[in-house]
Amino acid sequence: NPNNPVIGVRSFGENKIQVFQKSWMYAQGLMDNGILPVIKHFPGHGDTDVDSHKDLPVINHSDNRLDTLEHYPFKRLIKKGIPAIMIAHLNVPALDSAKNRPATLSKKIVTDLLKNKMQFRGLIFTDAMSMKGVAKFFPAGTAEVQAIKAGNDVLLFSENVTKVIDSIEKALNDSVIQWSQIEQVCKKILKYKYILHVKKNAFVKRKHLYEDIYKNRISQQLITNISQRAITLVQNKNDFLPIKNTKSIRFLHITVGDSANNSFNSQITNYLLPDNYSIINYSSLDTHFLFDKLSHSDVVFIQMIQKKLFNGNDEKNKTETDSTISIIEKIAIKKKTVLIISGTPYNMNVFKHPEYFEAILYAYENKKDLSKAAADIIFGSVSPQGRAPVSNKYFSAGVGQTFKSLIRLSEIYPEKLGINTDVLNKKIDSLMYSAIHQNIFPGCQIAVVKHGHIFFRKSYGKYTYDDTASVVNNSTLYDLASVTKVAASAMALMKLVSEKKLDIKKTLEYYLPELKYSNKGKIIIEDGLTHQAGLLPFIPFYTKLLKYQEKGMNVINEDSSASHSIQILNKMWMSNDFKDTLWNDLLKSPIKDAGKYVYSDLMYYFIQRIVEKITGESLDEYVVKNFYQPMNLGLTYQPLKYYDKNQIAPTEIDNTFRKQMIWGYVHDPGAAIMGGVAGHAGLFGNATDLATLMQMLLNNGQIFGNRYLDSAVIKEFTTCRFC
């Protein structure tokens, strides 16, 4: 019953066969681990609209309907050998016509139907005897005596234990109930204790119980797997999910019914840094502030968390719910919106226009693992596999979509690789916190991947040493500095070699004829890539720029213009002509110790020019189009064009060239003079994106079902030249 206020997500669904199958699998798992499974609530609590904690529900179905639907899973499970059943506080006139008599106290239901007709021989538990479903009509003591007479074995949670014991003793002394029944029940309980190997006084130690369970990483991995397979994608217009590109797109996460600072939001930060807004209730909703945030967003995640706001039938609740839903659907009209139902799928019934949403997922509960799984599915590191267990006004039971393939690396627990999580965390945490404490860096990211899975990913510290600075998260972008050589230039070269458009055995002048009369023309490209071409380590081009500026040559302006269009920092625009000065100085630089290994940036100025000449595209455009975009990576040059500054970590305070903090602009002076795009530096990214790119190389040039490079070329480029 969609209006059931108490069962909800505690049921396996509306299909009686699936309910039986899932119940039996769950029960087997419990029994395999020494736990007594108790199926409930007999004779069937699903089709009620009253909470038996608060009142006595009445089920007015016929005996035939009860037998063919409500009783079906119980009968199948009894035949399988289920060891225990709980009786519900339900009034079922078709089974017992006595007025206001709950099934718990009905001999016709407990003994005649369950024990005799259905042949159940296991333990029979009552539901809590303190619940109003029984206590409203039967006082403590009277209710328990009636429950024993009905045939129950275990009485749960009485209101007044002393009074109940006295009442039972009196009933025994008065022969209202028989000692033989008590002895038979005690023997049955002892039998099950023996079967379960329960020792005397084997009480569970509750202190740190939750933490102890979650320390078992194998169990935690199982919880994660179940959560990932449960999330159900019921709508996905035009394959909106998984979200591929995150560059130049602003995201807003709205929670309805709870704080936005939750597990779902935390997991989103593995992929991007969203803005946040929370709607706890409609009366506190600041629509002006919300729609202002909305005006600065492109994609919205709305997480509906099952709270009081969407429960109950009173008019005030309905008015508040309708008003909130109206706002949510207006948002979906204005922006591309993903709806996440962190509650029962019946919550969809409060909507009027689900077609407004690009995608809809059932996440079922506001639990950490389910919320994380929903976020991972949205971004394609996990594929949805769930099927809706119940129907609502818009989606039938059994519906569920999936993706053709993953588009991002998935996460696993280290134990799947034979690594102890606690030891790993302790060692890495210790190292990172020590480095931060010693002021080696204010913050950092680490992502560790094996066999294509992330098994450790964590961010530490802050953007700066200032206490008020932003905290580093897993989507924070860093200046990758000389890793640009590998992650951009080498990628471009390998692709061109794979396509037979470039031969690294040839000289620079073969591809750049303008070098023919310089001392660089005869350099073999391979020698330059292995730092044996005799090039200087680097040239401080910025020193000449500063000298020109000191002489009043107006190389740097505060504002951009036709003549000063190269931005090297905020309010620092360089003369276009100075790039020619850099190039001329590069060509005039000496060659020293050719054949000797000397690490040099200079070859990559030539590499950039070669790539751009062969492809007809700038280096940044080429690597984005051929690698980063199809691999759904956020790697980028000139990040401030695509990301908010608060998603980028500052690099350092430049005391020699630009005389201020470098934040969102390339730190390397030569790359800055090149406008932020260079072969040796200028790339920004996070640890996960970089790890993904390297995983593609480990996969011999392919990832997520696509090939990017020839495996033989990768082997050539990654073979040690000095071993």
Side-chain angles (χ1 to χ4, degrees):
N1 189 328
N3 296 318
N4 196 315
V6 66
I7 299 302
V9 294
R10 298 200 290 165
S11 168
F12 279 116
E14 67 182 40
N15 182 294
K16 64 182 182 181
I17 297 173
Q18 289 187 1
V19 168
F20 153 66
Q21 291 171 337
K22 292 179 180 179
S23 297
W24 179 236
M25 287 189 284
Y26 198 116
Q28 284 179 294
L30 294 172
M31 289 188 288
D32 287 347
N33 289 277
I35 299 170
L36 185 77
V38 184
I39 59 172
K40 62 180 188 178
H41 308 76
F42 188 82
H45 207 323
D47 196 2
T48 60
D49 56 8
V50 172
D51 184 349
S52 52
H53 293 85
K54 301 176 181 179
D55 206 343
L56 178 63
V58 178
I59 295 181
N60 285 311
H61 293 310
S62 68
D63 183 62
N64 182 63
R65 147 73 191 245
L66 292 167
D67 184 63
T68 56
L69 182 61
E70 273 79 6
H71 296 170
Y72 178 87
F74 292 101
K75 291 189 293 184
R76 292 289 304 273
L77 289 163
I78 289 169
K79 288 182 178 179
K80 284 286 188 181
I82 200 75
I85 293 178
M86 179 183 285
I87 311 298
H89 302 314
L90 304 170
N91 181 249
V92 191
L95 302 179
D96 189 335
S97 60
K99 186 178 180 180
N100 296 327
R101 179 177 293 279
T104 341
L105 311 188
S106 171
K107 184 174 182 295
K108 289 182 178 179
I109 294 175
V110 179
T111 296
D112 296 346
L113 176 59
L114 183 58
K115 288 185 172 181
N116 297 336
K117 186 177 180 180
M118 293 186 181
Q119 297 289 297
F120 179 64
R121 299 290 179 260
L123 280 174
I124 300 176
F125 289 74
T126 70
D127 209 339
M129 298 300 287
S130 59
M131 292 164 60
K132 294 300 181 184
V134 64
K136 181 177 179 179
F137 301 103
F138 295 85
T142 301
E144 282 74 9
V145 170
Q146 292 293 314
I148 293 172
K149 288 180 65 178
N152 292 283
D153 299 320
V154 182
L155 310 180
L156 224 59
F157 202 175
S158 295
E159 280 190 298
N160 187 326
V161 175
T162 301
K163 183 177 180 180
V164 167
I165 291 174
D166 290 342
S167 297
I168 293 172
E169 285 185 341
K170 185 176 185 305
L172 286 164
N173 292 331
D174 294 344
S175 298
V176 174
I177 52 178
Q178 305 301 316
W179 276 106
S180 59
Q181 182 183 354
I182 302 298
E183 291 172 355
Q184 185 181 15
V185 168
C186 286
K187 288 178 180 178
K188 189 191 290 188
I189 291 171
L190 290 171
K191 180 184 78 170
Y192 278 105
K193 284 190 173 186
Y194 176 79
I195 291 170
L196 294 171
H197 306 290
V198 176
K199 298 177 182 178
K200 185 178 179 180
N201 296 331
F203 295 107
V204 173
K205 295 179 181 178
R206 291 180 293 172
K207 189 175 182 180
H208 304 306
L209 177 61
Y210 185 85
E211 291 81 1
D212 289 343
I213 292 171
Y214 267 75
K215 277 184 180 178
N216 185 333
R217 306 298 176 179
I218 296 174
S219 296
Q220 182 57 53
Q221 182 69 63
L222 177 61
I223 293 169
T224 298
N225 292 345
I226 292 170
S227 299
Q228 290 175 348
R229 294 180 186 183
I231 301 299
T232 308
L233 178 63
V234 295
Q235 181 164 293
N236 192 21
K237 292 160 63 176
N238 301 316
D239 293 328
F240 185 75
L241 297 183
I243 288 175
K244 301 172 180 64
N245 181 34
T246 59
K247 281 176 64 176
S248 303
I249 299 175
R250 298 162 299 177
F251 293 84
L252 174 63
H253 170 218
I254 301 173
T255 53
V256 183
D258 202 359
S259 166
N261 184 23
N262 59 21
S263 299
F264 178 78
N265 191 71
S266 297
Q267 193 70 1
I268 290 175
T269 60
N270 283 326
Y271 308 101
L272 50 87
L273 189 62
D275 196 2
N276 299 299
Y277 188 81
S278 178
I279 303 173
I280 300 297
N281 53 64
Y282 185 76
S283 58
S284 64
L285 173 59
D286 186 339
T287 54
H288 177 77
F289 184 55
L290 172 59
F291 279 91
D292 181 64
K293 281 181 172 285
L294 196 67
S295 67
H296 297 92
S297 303
D298 303 304
V299 175
V300 181
F301 306 125
I302 298 181
Q303 186 183 13
M304 301 281 290
I305 295 174
Q306 191 169 4
K307 291 287 185 179
K308 184 179 178 182
L309 182 65
F310 301 103
N311 291 337
N313 297 313
D314 61 279
E315 195 60 34
K316 180 182 176 183
N317 180 278
K318 184 178 185 306
T319 300
E320 187 164 312
T321 298
D322 288 347
S323 300
T324 305
I325 295 303
S326 177
I327 292 291
I328 290 170
E329 292 187 337
K330 286 178 182 176
I331 292 171
I333 292 173
K334 291 176 178 290
K335 303 290 181 178
K336 292 186 179 299
T337 303
V338 178
L339 177 65
I340 303 100
I341 301 291
S342 294
T344 167
Y346 294 133
N347 277 350
M348 284 303 304
N349 289 334
V350 300
F351 288 90
K352 292 181 175 61
H353 297 285
E355 70 274 11
Y356 290 167
F357 299 98
E358 300 300 318
I360 300 174
L361 294 97
Y362 296 161
Y364 300 106
E365 293 186 84
N366 185 28
K367 301 279 189 178
K368 179 184 71 173
D369 296 280
L370 286 164
S371 295
K372 288 176 62 178
D376 288 337
I377 283 171
I378 286 171
F379 290 97
S381 64
V382 171
S383 60
Q385 300 179 50
R387 295 291 180 267
V390 293
S391 305
N392 52 49
K393 282 168 33 178
Y394 305 107
F395 304 103
S396 60
V399 69
Q401 302 181 35
T402 190
F403 305 146
K404 293 178 181 178
S405 63
L406 301 183
I407 65 167
R408 290 184 173 90
L409 297 180
S410 58
E411 287 185 90
I412 59 172
Y413 281 88
E415 276 71 15
K416 280 200 108 176
L417 301 169
I419 299 169
N420 184 288
T421 294
D422 294 329
V423 173
L424 184 68
N425 287 339
K426 184 177 180 180
K427 288 184 177 293
I428 296 180
D429 287 356
S430 175
L431 185 62
M432 294 305 102
Y433 291 134
S434 174
I436 291 171
H437 181 72
Q438 295 177 60
N439 287 358
I440 294 172
F441 46 70
C444 70
Q445 298 170 335
I446 296 181
V448 193
V449 177
K450 187 173 178 65
H451 301 325
H453 299 287
I454 300 168
F455 69 91
F456 184 92
R457 175 164 54 183
K458 191 172 180 179
S459 292
Y460 300 83
K462 298 184 176 183
Y463 281 14
T464 70
Y465 294 108
D466 188 340
D467 289 339
T468 63
S470 297
V471 174
V472 177
N473 61 66
N474 291 337
S475 64
T476 299
L477 299 174
Y478 278 87
D479 184 333
L480 299 181
S482 283
V483 175
T484 302
K485 296 180 177 72
V486 174
S489 294
M491 294 292 167
L493 290 178
M494 283 191 282
K495 182 166 180 61
L496 293 174
V497 172
S498 297
E499 296 171 344
K500 313 297 184 186
K501 295 177 180 178
L502 176 71
D503 183 355
I504 61 172
K505 304 292 185 182
K506 293 189 180 297
T507 62
L508 288 178
E509 66 181 28
Y510 182 85
Y511 296 99
L512 301 174
E514 62 269 32
L515 302 184
K516 191 170 185 178
Y517 299 105
S518 75
N519 60 353
K520 312 296 187 307
K522 301 299 182 184
I523 291 176
I524 296 173
I525 295 173
E526 183 177 8
D527 289 341
L529 295 175
T530 54
H531 303 280
Q532 300 177 87
L535 296 169
L536 298 177
F538 75 101
I539 299 173
F541 299 108
Y542 71 93
T543 57
K544 180 176 284 190
L545 184 151
L546 293 176
K547 288 178 182 178
Y548 284 179
Q549 190 71 4
E550 289 171 3
K551 293 178 180 180
M553 296 176 66
N554 198 33
V555 182
I556 301 291
N557 281 347
E558 283 194 7
D559 300 310
S560 64
S561 64
S563 61
H564 290 70
S565 63
I566 300 173
Q567 189 172 20
I568 59 174
L569 206 64
N570 187 38
K571 293 187 177 181
M572 291 186 71
W573 294 83
M574 189 185 76
S575 167
N576 303 341
D577 296 336
F578 195 78
K579 282 182 74 172
D580 294 332
T581 302
L582 178 152
W583 184 250
N584 289 331
D585 287 351
L586 176 61
L587 294 183
K588 293 176 182 177
S589 63
I591 297 289
K592 294 183 178 180
D593 300 322
K596 180 181 177 182
Y597 176 84
V598 177
Y599 186 88
S600 173
D601 284 345
L602 301 190
M603 182 65 182
Y604 287 85
Y605 289 92
F606 299 114
I607 293 298
Q608 178 182 4
R609 186 166 283 210
I610 289 173
V611 170
E612 293 179 343
K613 185 169 183 179
I614 292 175
T615 65
E617 300 175 87
S618 64
L619 176 62
D620 57 327
E621 291 173 341
Y622 184 73
V623 291
V624 166
K625 184 177 79 174
N626 289 283
F627 295 98
Y628 311 153
Q629 189 170 10
M631 291 173 64
N632 306 297
L633 306 179
L635 293 167
T636 186
Y637 286 91
Q638 300 172 320
L640 290 173
K641 287 184 177 181
Y642 313 105
Y643 296 98
D644 288 335
K645 187 178 179 181
N646 64 355
Q647 195 171 340
I648 306 167
T651 311
E652 73 162 3
I653 297 174
D654 180 356
N655 292 315
T656 58
F657 176 25
R658 286 161 282 185
K659 311 293 184 182
Q660 57 182 288
M661 180 176 281
I662 309 301
W663 193 339
Y665 296 90
V666 60
H667 170 263
D668 182 90
I673 292 170
M674 293 291 292
V677 178
H680 67 288
L683 194 63
F684 284 71
N686 60 50
T688 302
D689 284 345
L690 197 57
T692 304
L693 192 66
M694 298 302 110
Q695 184 64 53
M696 181 271 290
L697 297 180
L698 289 171
N699 293 349
N700 294 314
Q702 58 185 352
I703 197 167
F704 308 133
N706 296 313
R707 175 162 292 282
Y708 294 89
L709 296 170
D710 183 88
S711 59
V713 174
I714 293 175
K715 184 176 181 180
E716 180 183 7
F717 269 71
T718 55
T719 297
C720 179
R721 294 300 200 275
F722 307 104
C723 298

